[in-house]
Amino acid sequence: MMRQYIRLSRTPPTGRIWTHHLSTNLTPTKECTGIRSISTTGIMPKYIQQSNPKIRGRRGFALQTGFGQPTFETRPHMLKEGELTPGISALEYHLRRQKLIEQLPVGAAAILVGNEVKYRSGAVFYEFHQNPDFFYLSGFNEPRAVMVVEKPVENDYIFHLYVQPKDERKELWEGPRTGVDGALEVFNADEAGDIKFIRKYLDDVIARATSLYMDIPAANSEIASFFHPHVRRATMEVSILELIKHHKKDAILRPLTRIVQSLRAIKSEAELQVMQKAGKISGQAITRAFGRRFTKEADLNAYLDYAFRIGGCEKSAYVPVVAGGKNALGIHYTRNDDVLNDGDMVLIDAGGQYAGYCADISRAWPVNGKFTEPQKDLYQCVLNVQKECIKLATTSNSLESIHRSSVELFAFELRNVGFNVSHSDINAILYPHYVGHHLGLDVHDCPDQSRRQSLQNGNVITIEPGIYVPVDNPKFPKPFRGIGIRIEDNVFIHDDSPIVTSGEAAKEIRDVEQACEVSWSDMNT
């Protein structure tokens, strides 16, 4: 008979643990190598609320050997009781899976594949980053994992999580893993197993599913496939399509990412609080950077990363732009290795990541702390457009309509400071990027969301108009040539009252110059 495990149930109230009713008639199940599960008579197991919050099943044992990511027991300074990730409870992760299955027909199975560790060379690896859809639905942040959400009946689901098992030898080198027990006990899987048996597990899932939802993970690059023609034979794509063909010759994989992204695009109250924290920490760090006497882009880059982390973020959310002078004309300039010259402006596009959620802020300021008249005029032009676009960030508009408005606003503002420009000049040369994008677990979050779709309560977007005046184009006024300015804030959509979550980053001219003066004084004392 299978071992029995205590697990969190579907809708636990805060601070309570839900368990399988141990008096339920548990039936023996055929043992499948590497799998641990609980089964009951009937299609779905029954649950009761366990009033004693100290009951943890075998979690105490797992605590002794460690988990593969922070938990309340191991990192109480990072997580509160009941949270799977900072600020996000186990209940919320359940509700996300519940919302997913509401979009699927009875009999469906949704399959998500976690990311692998990527290697720079040999045994030297890059920092692990989980598939954001996978993380959104599970909170599980370890490599080599697959999750399945089945909908056997209306309004309920079975959650499978297949992970790397505990391994004393490998954990000596790589650190703790959560393991199969932890997948059940911490992440509330109904069924968990060793990832090396994934083909067997998916064979069973596919055999009973009436419809399948999955997006094939990206395989090796086209170039790698060209030089190694057999590489694709080992990918998940071939294996899972073979399984589908074996069980249902006419079955097709339906896309899943678009469904998950439609859920991710609407942030919960808990997500908003996490993103407000990321924005606050990042904004404060950027404001403190205004007056530092940096002479190199690399030093400012290092300071921002340090300030994000020391403020409470786990890391920078993305590779930042730190661009002095004409380098700011490159929208995604990320070399960050030039000097910062007195009299030039510096443009930064940076943000911290907190609990997996990103801040994305752009600011530009004079290296010496004082705007010249041309710098001030062009900066105020961009700022006026940005502030008006933030006002338009309501459920009455879309990103597309806000962008069109930003072009119209720039046409007016630029003419006021001496530019003789057409809409074509603005779109093709001076303002070649879009006004904003969704923000969340990804910097460019939910890219499948249409820009023409009306914004919804709960969306978080960026508003980031910018002007980039070429160095050598005589069509534009000479005093402004070589200046690049972008001002970007993170905006939470709330009916007709947009909420800026990155407001700690100063942007009014007087505030920027004052922040520079305060910082100079601080450094001199």
Side-chain angles (χ1 to χ4, degrees), residues 8-18 49-51 82 91:
L8 291 177
S9 177
R10 299 291 182 229
T11 54
T14 303
R16 301 243 181 144
I17 302 301
W18 285 57
Q49 183 174 324
Q50 174 62 264
S51 60
L91 173 58

Side-chain angles (χ1 to χ4, degrees), residues 3-8 20 35-38 59 159-161 163 178-193:
R3 295 166 60 186
Q4 299 173 10
Y5 292 87
I6 294 175
R7 63 175 299 282
L8 291 177
H20 280 285
I35 198 168
R36 297 188 175 100
S37 66
I38 301 174
R59 194 161 179 168
F159 173 34
H160 310 252
L161 188 55
V163 302
T178 294
V180 177
D181 289 349
L184 291 167
E185 298 161 3
V186 180
F187 293 92
N188 307 317
D190 297 296
E191 181 176 283

Side-chain angles (χ1 to χ4, degrees), residues 317-371:
Y318 52 95
V319 178
V321 172
V322 181
K326 67 179 184 299
N327 292 333
L329 304 182
I331 310 302
H332 283 165
Y333 167 86
T334 56
R335 286 185 57 174
N336 305 340
D337 60 358
D338 208 345
V339 296
L340 298 174
N341 295 310
D342 192 348
D344 281 346
M345 294 190 70
V346 57
L347 183 155
I348 64 100
D349 185 337
Q353 175 182 300
Y354 178 76
Y357 287 82
C358 304
D360 185 4
I361 304 172
S362 295
R363 292 292 188 267
W365 69 93
V367 172
N368 62 17
K370 291 291 182 181
F371 288 90

